[in-house]
Amino acid sequence: MRQTKAQREWRPGTPKKRRSTKIMFASTVLSLEAFVAFFATLVIFGLRSHEIPGVTILIVGLALSVVLIGTCAFLKKQWALWLGWALQLVLIALGFFEPMMFVIGPLFALSWWYGLRTGARLDRESADREKAQKAWELEHPES
């Protein structure tokens, strides 16, 4: 079985890296939006293919879904968070082709904002708890 770099470098007693709650929340929102974008593409294809070439609708919609999923891989970088905001605007702009996206898009943008804000707060609290735990362990070596 092939091991990842992290698996090869692990040794007993190695502390586990803390995962970012903010990144987890952001990834969840973007992943769900990818599904919504895919299904919105199918709806727009069904309703508007007589106005817009069907191939164009499918290519743009599938590309949007891929970009939403692909952005999840780069969320540790600041530019990816800004790309996420831009993708929120794109999702809302789909409302010009399917009016229901004027409802769904802002709800996802609100979820994106809440996930980033709450995730950052939870990450700060976890870091503070970890720091306090280390300080306590230094003060109480017998434990």
Side-chain angles (χ1 to χ4, degrees), residues 2-11 17:
R2 190 171 180 177
Q3 293 182 331
T4 65
K5 180 181 176 189
Q7 290 171 326
R8 288 189 306 269
E9 292 175 355
W10 181 85
R11 300 291 175 255
K17 275 188 176 180

mmCIF file of all heavy atoms in Angstrom, residues 2-11 17:
data_model
loop_
_atom_site.group_PDB
_atom_site.id
_atom_site.type_symbol
_atom_site.label_atom_id
_atom_site.label_comp_id
_atom_site.label_asym_id
_atom_site.label_seq_id
_atom_site.Cartn_x
_atom_site.Cartn_y
_atom_site.Cartn_z
ATOM 1 N N ARG A 2 0.544 2.210 -0.823
ATOM 2 C CA ARG A 2 1.322 3.435 -0.946
ATOM 3 C C ARG A 2 0.950 4.404 0.174
ATOM 4 O O ARG A 2 -0.220 4.643 0.442
ATOM 5 C CB ARG A 2 1.041 4.056 -2.301
ATOM 6 C CG ARG A 2 1.965 5.162 -2.606
ATOM 7 C CD ARG A 2 1.810 5.595 -4.027
ATOM 8 N NE ARG A 2 2.752 6.683 -4.237
ATOM 9 C CZ ARG A 2 2.939 7.265 -5.371
ATOM 10 N NH1 ARG A 2 2.264 6.881 -6.412
ATOM 11 N NH2 ARG A 2 3.799 8.232 -5.482
ATOM 12 N N GLN A 3 1.962 4.985 0.820
ATOM 13 C CA GLN A 3 1.730 5.910 1.918
ATOM 14 C C GLN A 3 1.954 7.352 1.475
ATOM 15 O O GLN A 3 2.784 7.618 0.609
ATOM 16 C CB GLN A 3 2.679 5.604 3.082
ATOM 17 C CG GLN A 3 2.410 4.289 3.751
ATOM 18 C CD GLN A 3 3.351 4.078 4.933
ATOM 19 O OE1 GLN A 3 4.463 4.584 4.945
ATOM 20 N NE2 GLN A 3 2.883 3.339 5.915
ATOM 21 N N THR A 4 1.232 8.248 2.126
ATOM 22 C CA THR A 4 1.433 9.665 1.862
ATOM 23 C C THR A 4 2.684 10.151 2.591
ATOM 24 O O THR A 4 3.230 9.446 3.447
ATOM 25 C CB THR A 4 0.231 10.492 2.350
ATOM 26 O OG1 THR A 4 0.153 10.386 3.769
ATOM 27 C CG2 THR A 4 -1.074 10.014 1.711
ATOM 28 N N LYS A 5 3.110 11.355 2.275
ATOM 29 C CA LYS A 5 4.278 11.929 2.921
ATOM 30 C C LYS A 5 4.058 12.029 4.428
ATOM 31 O O LYS A 5 4.947 11.706 5.222
ATOM 32 C CB LYS A 5 4.578 13.311 2.324
ATOM 33 C CG LYS A 5 5.775 13.985 2.943
ATOM 34 C CD LYS A 5 6.007 15.351 2.340
ATOM 35 C CE LYS A 5 7.163 16.034 3.044
ATOM 36 N NZ LYS A 5 7.296 17.426 2.648
ATOM 37 N N ALA A 6 2.878 12.470 4.834
ATOM 38 C CA ALA A 6 2.570 12.602 6.263
ATOM 39 C C ALA A 6 2.617 11.248 6.962
ATOM 40 O O ALA A 6 3.083 11.143 8.094
ATOM 41 C CB ALA A 6 1.199 13.244 6.444
ATOM 42 N N GLN A 7 2.143 10.193 6.286
ATOM 43 C CA GLN A 7 2.188 8.852 6.876
ATOM 44 C C GLN A 7 3.622 8.358 7.013
ATOM 45 O O GLN A 7 3.972 7.722 8.004
ATOM 46 C CB GLN A 7 1.375 7.872 6.028
ATOM 47 C CG GLN A 7 -0.112 8.110 6.094
ATOM 48 C CD GLN A 7 -0.864 7.267 5.084
ATOM 49 O OE1 GLN A 7 -0.377 6.996 3.990
ATOM 50 N NE2 GLN A 7 -2.067 6.854 5.458
ATOM 51 N N ARG A 8 4.463 8.643 6.024
ATOM 52 C CA ARG A 8 5.856 8.200 6.089
ATOM 53 C C ARG A 8 6.633 8.929 7.175
ATOM 54 O O ARG A 8 7.519 8.361 7.799
ATOM 55 C CB ARG A 8 6.545 8.412 4.734
ATOM 56 C CG ARG A 8 6.098 7.453 3.655
ATOM 57 C CD ARG A 8 6.967 7.569 2.406
ATOM 58 N NE ARG A 8 7.069 8.918 1.868
ATOM 59 C CZ ARG A 8 6.254 9.434 0.951
ATOM 60 N NH1 ARG A 8 5.258 8.714 0.466
ATOM 61 N NH2 ARG A 8 6.430 10.664 0.502
ATOM 62 N N GLU A 9 6.307 10.200 7.413
ATOM 63 C CA GLU A 9 7.042 10.997 8.386
ATOM 64 C C GLU A 9 6.533 10.838 9.813
ATOM 65 O O GLU A 9 7.177 11.291 10.750
ATOM 66 C CB GLU A 9 6.978 12.475 7.984
ATOM 67 C CG GLU A 9 7.738 12.772 6.713
ATOM 68 C CD GLU A 9 7.573 14.212 6.255
ATOM 69 O OE1 GLU A 9 6.776 14.970 6.878
ATOM 70 O OE2 GLU A 9 8.239 14.590 5.287
ATOM 71 N N TRP A 10 5.400 10.182 9.998
ATOM 72 C CA TRP A 10 4.827 10.048 11.333
ATOM 73 C C TRP A 10 5.664 9.105 12.191
ATOM 74 O O TRP A 10 6.143 8.072 11.748
ATOM 75 C CB TRP A 10 3.400 9.500 11.235
ATOM 76 C CG TRP A 10 2.772 9.369 12.587
ATOM 77 C CD1 TRP A 10 2.129 10.341 13.277
ATOM 78 C CD2 TRP A 10 2.743 8.204 13.408
ATOM 79 N NE1 TRP A 10 1.698 9.872 14.479
ATOM 80 C CE2 TRP A 10 2.069 8.546 14.592
ATOM 81 C CE3 TRP A 10 3.228 6.914 13.272
ATOM 82 C CZ2 TRP A 10 1.848 7.645 15.625
ATOM 83 C CZ3 TRP A 10 3.017 6.011 14.297
ATOM 84 C CH2 TRP A 10 2.331 6.369 15.464
ATOM 85 N N ARG A 11 5.832 9.498 13.445
ATOM 86 C CA ARG A 11 6.520 8.680 14.443
ATOM 87 C C ARG A 11 5.649 8.647 15.698
ATOM 88 O O ARG A 11 4.920 9.609 15.961
ATOM 89 C CB ARG A 11 7.898 9.265 14.800
ATOM 90 C CG ARG A 11 8.861 9.374 13.633
ATOM 91 C CD ARG A 11 9.319 7.985 13.164
ATOM 92 N NE ARG A 11 10.144 8.089 11.968
ATOM 93 C CZ ARG A 11 9.744 7.784 10.752
ATOM 94 N NH1 ARG A 11 8.526 7.368 10.527
ATOM 95 N NH2 ARG A 11 10.555 7.878 9.723
ATOM 96 N N LYS A 17 -1.455 17.326 13.739
ATOM 97 C CA LYS A 17 -1.683 18.681 13.248
ATOM 98 C C LYS A 17 -3.156 19.022 13.390
ATOM 99 O O LYS A 17 -4.031 18.214 13.078
ATOM 100 C CB LYS A 17 -1.309 18.788 11.768
ATOM 101 C CG LYS A 17 0.123 19.045 11.501
ATOM 102 C CD LYS A 17 0.314 19.321 10.016
ATOM 103 C CE LYS A 17 1.731 19.681 9.693
ATOM 104 N NZ LYS A 17 1.900 19.937 8.256
#
